[in-house]
Amino acid sequence: MNGSRRKRTDPVRQDRGPVRYGPPALDPGLPALPELVGVLAASAGRTRPEPPGGGTALREAARAYWQRRGLHGGSEDVVAAPGASPLLFALMAAYGGDVLMPRPCPAAWMPQARLLGRPAYLVPTPAECGGIPDPYALLETVRRVRAEGGRPRLLLISVADDPTATVAPPELVREVCEAAVAEGLHVVSDETWRDTVHRPHDTVLLSPAEMCPDDVTVLTDLAGALTPSAWPVAVARFPGTGRSAARRARVLDVLTALGALVAEPVARAAAHALREPSPVTDRVRRAAAIQARVASAAHRAVLTSGALARPPQAGRHLYADLGPLRSRLAARGVTDSMELEEYLTDRLGAPAPGGHRFGDELGALRVRLGTGALLGSTPEEQTESLTAVEPLRLPHVAQALSMFAAALEELG
């Protein structure tokens, strides 16, 4: 690694006690693509689930999907599961040891480690982005964990990040991966949101698997961009090595024991989406483009209120720090992220999960603000937003943005 611009920061261990806070409400996303609904309906009579890890057609479609993104391998290196949570649980179980993850991190990560009884360490992110730990803080964390008798084995990262909606620069991803591999860590790269990058021609997203092909497992939840969240399916791509083959077999054992099997109608729709026919790619492109415009407007409203947030680059959220408004919020009885979540959810009329759900300190006034709801409250409004030439001028979008800005302005 080069440079010395980032300071070292103490890691935070999060491995004791039950899960204190439930997961945030799911983002329902956009209406289901009619073509995918047709594929699902045509398979509705198939009542048997896919075999553990997914059937041949689904795994082959996932292999081709990744190959189009420069990640080569065979369908035998792919595993599918009914959603990202059981798949991540199986991955953690297969690799063993202590888990490291950036702070903040996706809401589902910490509960999975706790359910397994695994020590988990949250490592601060660099100033430039979320989704990856600061490489120097990562090295310091590994050193301290080993000095205390721990066994750091697994690093979770998300280069297109939920909750921060940022995309990690390739040079930082390289530094983190080189540091992790040098310390004997295996990297799980959650790339659920990679196809939701708002401005793909201006943003370079590089998968860690392109840099360290033998040391990175890629995980993708199709609900990020390709399928509705009500159709749970996620896929993982393992390195093509003998050691990874043994771990893949262990993952299959865990999924089998959990009964975590993909329903065949869902698998067929997912395979169709992964093949990326033109209606699917057109929907993904349109959704990313409109999210870019709506998220930018929401980001301006956050900054205007006096709060802070990194510019959103992917996904359907932005992560706001209302710390600069602490005194005004305290006058309203809001002193931590749980109270902030309740306060903003009530005023925005949509879930606004607090930063405590993502591993941030309870006392920090951070919140994830969804932008998907700004496109409309009904399938008809959302479809109109997707097809409009000037979506921000649509009455329902303009009204939603106005209400969003007003709720934040009253805090300023």
Side-chain angles (χ1 to χ4, degrees):
M1 298 184 298
N2 52 25
S4 58
R5 61 189 181 279
R6 289 178 291 277
K7 65 181 181 179
R8 296 179 180 179
T9 313
D10 289 343
V12 178
R13 180 170 174 171
Q14 298 279 336
D15 65 331
R16 295 185 177 90
V19 179
R20 294 180 58 196
Y21 314 110
L26 289 174
D27 180 353
L30 295 167
L33 190 65
E35 181 168 331
L36 294 182
V37 172
V39 174
L40 186 77
S43 306
R46 299 179 178 273
T47 58
R48 298 182 62 182
E50 295 269 288
T56 301
L58 177 56
R59 290 186 291 106
E60 174 58 26
R63 180 208 63 77
Y65 166 88
W66 277 309
Q67 182 167 300
R68 290 190 294 274
R69 288 153 179 79
L71 302 180
H72 303 283
S75 60
E76 68 277 5
D77 300 321
V78 177
V79 167
S85 290
L87 187 50
L88 180 60
F89 183 90
L91 284 168
M92 287 187 184
Y95 281 92
D98 300 348
V99 183
L100 294 92
M101 56 189 76
R103 181 178 195 174
C105 63
W109 287 6
M110 190 60 67
Q112 302 302 316
R114 284 175 171 152
L115 284 172
L116 283 165
R118 295 284 165 76
Y121 295 84
L122 291 165
V123 188
T125 56
E128 295 91 328
C129 63
I132 61 173
D134 179 283
Y136 296 98
L138 174 64
L139 291 172
E140 182 69 9
T141 300
V142 172
R143 183 190 68 80
R144 294 185 184 186
V145 171
R146 286 183 175 145
E148 295 171 359
R151 297 186 306 119
R153 296 284 299 277
L154 201 62
L155 172 65
L156 308 184
I157 63 175
S158 54
V159 288
D161 184 44
D162 171 22
T164 66
T166 59
V167 176
E171 62 273 15
L172 271 176
V173 177
R174 181 176 295 279
E175 287 186 27
V176 169
C177 290
E178 288 177 351
V181 172
E183 293 297 329
L185 303 179
H186 187 80
V187 178
V188 173
S189 176
D190 186 338
E191 300 182 10
T192 293
W193 299 99
R194 70 170 296 156
D195 292 325
T196 70
V197 172
H198 295 169
R199 294 176 176 84
H201 297 297
D202 301 327
T203 306
V204 178
L205 189 154
L206 192 62
S207 172
E210 297 180 66
M211 304 176 183
C212 306
D214 293 342
D215 299 286
V216 177
T217 297
V218 177
L219 182 150
T220 298
D221 186 346
L222 272 63
L226 298 176
T227 62
S229 58
W231 305 355
V233 58
V235 288
R237 173 195 176 275
F238 290 78
T241 65
R243 177 180 297 181
S244 290
R247 287 168 174 164
R248 176 181 177 274
R250 174 60 177 156
V251 167
L252 290 176
D253 288 342
V254 175
L255 292 174
T256 302
L258 293 174
L261 309 177
V262 182
E264 187 169 340
V266 173
R268 289 184 173 237
H272 187 79
L274 284 165
R275 296 186 191 104
E276 298 182 293
S278 58
V280 171
T281 56
D282 181 66
R283 162 61 72 85
V284 170
R285 178 184 59 80
R286 287 178 177 271
I290 189 174
Q291 282 296 334
R293 302 178 70 174
V294 172
S296 292
H299 182 247
R300 288 193 296 271
V302 169
L303 298 184
T304 299
S305 74
L308 304 173
R310 294 185 180 104
Q313 298 173 289
R316 300 188 289 267
H317 318 101
L318 58 88
Y319 199 58
D321 182 356
L322 277 65
L325 309 178
R326 182 175 294 276
S327 60
R328 295 184 179 92
L329 286 166
R332 294 170 168 82
V334 177
T335 60
D336 60 32
S337 62
M338 289 183 69
E339 293 169 346
L340 180 63
E341 173 181 312
E342 182 178 358
Y343 183 86
L344 285 179
T345 296
D346 179 61
R347 278 150 185 78
L348 294 173
H356 58 281
R357 298 182 185 273
F358 309 103
D360 258 331
E361 295 176 358
L362 182 61
L365 294 174
R366 300 191 182 100
V367 63
R368 190 186 73 180
L369 300 171
T371 56
L374 300 174
L375 301 181
S377 57
T378 67
E380 293 76 19
E381 289 181 346
Q382 293 169 339
T383 300
E384 185 181 8
S385 298
L386 276 173
T387 57
V389 177
E390 295 289 343
L392 300 190
R393 295 186 178 181
L394 293 173
H396 63 271
V397 175
Q399 182 181 17
L401 282 169
S402 177
M403 292 175 62
F404 180 88
L408 293 172
E409 284 174 6
E410 72 174 28
L411 304 178

